[in-house]
Amino acid sequence: MLQKIKRLLTNKELILYFVFGVGTTAVDFAVSYLLYPTNINIHVIHAIAWVAAVTFAYVTNKIYVFQSKTKGIFSIFLEVASFAGSRLFTLLLQEAIVWVLYDKLGFSEYIVKIPAAVLVVILNYVISKLLVFRKERKK
């Protein structure tokens, strides 16, 4: 068990994903919290925050975390599209959680993103690792 924990704590990819995941979450939260005092609908605020966070996440994940070597306009377009599509899926999941906790159960808008963010960070790593930035399989 200790060996597994040690491997996790020394896995460069996971550490970088965590660091940039915290940064992505910080971008998302910062944009959201800056816009909460406005009269903009909470779901629109979260969509705006999502665009800012996904842009940050794509660049940092591509360059630093998964070190994608994708080249060519079409291949990069496919990579961006699959990344954005996977993040759109987790955005919808996040908003379902927010809808239940905020709209239906009346929790504060300042805390409902926390449980959603935890689940989203985990899912985003798995999807990015297995689908978006997967290493080419040797033939």
Side-chain angles (χ1 to χ4, degrees):
M1 178 68 156
L2 288 174
Q3 285 293 72
K4 287 182 182 182
I5 293 171
K6 184 178 178 183
R7 271 197 310 256
L8 282 175
L9 294 176
T10 58
N11 183 312
K12 181 182 175 188
E13 182 180 277
L14 278 175
I15 292 167
L16 288 172
Y17 184 79
F18 176 77
V19 168
F20 290 114
V22 169
T24 299
T25 302
V27 168
D28 185 35
F29 275 58
V31 172
S32 295
Y33 290 150
L34 287 171
L35 294 176
Y36 282 150
T38 68
N39 288 328
I40 300 172
N41 178 280
I42 188 171
H43 301 291
V44 174
I45 288 171
H46 291 171
I48 293 167
W50 178 82
V51 170
V54 167
T55 302
F56 176 83
Y58 174 73
V59 171
T60 57
N61 278 253
K62 177 178 181 55
I63 295 170
Y64 302 109
V65 178
F66 299 105
Q67 299 172 356
S68 172
K69 304 296 185 214
T70 304
K71 292 183 182 358
I73 294 242
F74 184 71
S75 294
I76 291 171
F77 173 79
L78 289 177
E79 186 178 78
V80 169
S82 64
F83 187 83
S86 69
R87 296 299 171 109
L88 180 59
F89 166 74
T90 57
L91 169 68
L92 294 174
L93 179 63
Q94 171 185 287
E95 287 311 297
I97 294 168
V98 169
W99 178 73
V100 169
L101 296 178
Y102 176 76
D103 293 326
K104 295 300 176 191
L105 298 177
F107 286 93
S108 168
E109 67 269 22
Y110 292 96
I111 64 165
V112 297
K113 285 185 68 119
I114 295 169
V118 170
L119 180 60
V120 164
V121 165
I122 294 167
L123 280 176
N124 284 337
Y125 175 78
V126 171
I127 293 168
S128 290
K129 174 84 173 163
L130 299 179
L131 300 174
V132 178
F133 298 111
R134 72 176 177 243
K135 305 291 183 209
E136 290 298 317
R137 292 182 175 86
K138 294 183 181 183
K139 295 181 181 179

